[in-house]
Amino acid sequence: MPVRVWVEAAMLAKSAVAYNAGTLNRARDAGMQYMEAFDGADCGWTSHQDTDKPNGMLRTVEDAAAWPISHPRCRRAFGPRPDVREPV
């Protein structure tokens, strides 16, 4: 595999982690407890093989911070859910 492919994957992963960290830090500062995960339908929480599919699911801010992405080129993002105070 060409070096540029590895560099691109690393840059995309770092930028995705940074984007999600900013979102999660701001949500935490605002007192949010839960986030909605936006992810690929086949993407698992920790890897593609993980059967825990987070797309559209609620996660705590802490859980989201632990797994801001699950693989290189991951498109995961989080949206704050101020309307949720207790898990569903």
Side-chain angles (χ1 to χ4, degrees):
M1 215 174 251
V3 171
R4 69 174 179 75
V5 173
W6 287 102
V7 170
E8 181 181 323
M11 287 175 43
L12 289 171
K14 289 288 187 181
S15 65
V17 169
Y19 176 85
N20 284 337
T23 300
L24 296 167
N25 287 338
R26 182 63 191 112
R28 187 182 294 114
D29 290 347
M32 304 296 161
Q33 297 175 2
Y34 290 92
M35 306 295 286
E36 184 172 347
F38 305 103
D39 211 342
D42 291 330
C43 193
W45 186 241
T46 62
S47 69
H48 272 286
Q49 292 73 32
D50 191 341
T51 58
D52 180 4
K53 308 296 184 191
N55 190 40
M57 303 298 287
L58 296 178
R59 302 293 170 145
T60 65
V61 173
E62 291 76 25
D63 286 345
W67 288 100
I69 64 172
S70 68
H71 57 85
R73 299 183 185 273
C74 189
R75 297 180 180 181
R76 179 175 295 160
F78 296 97
R81 290 292 305 268
D83 58 317
V84 179
R85 291 287 180 197
E86 295 295 325
V88 214

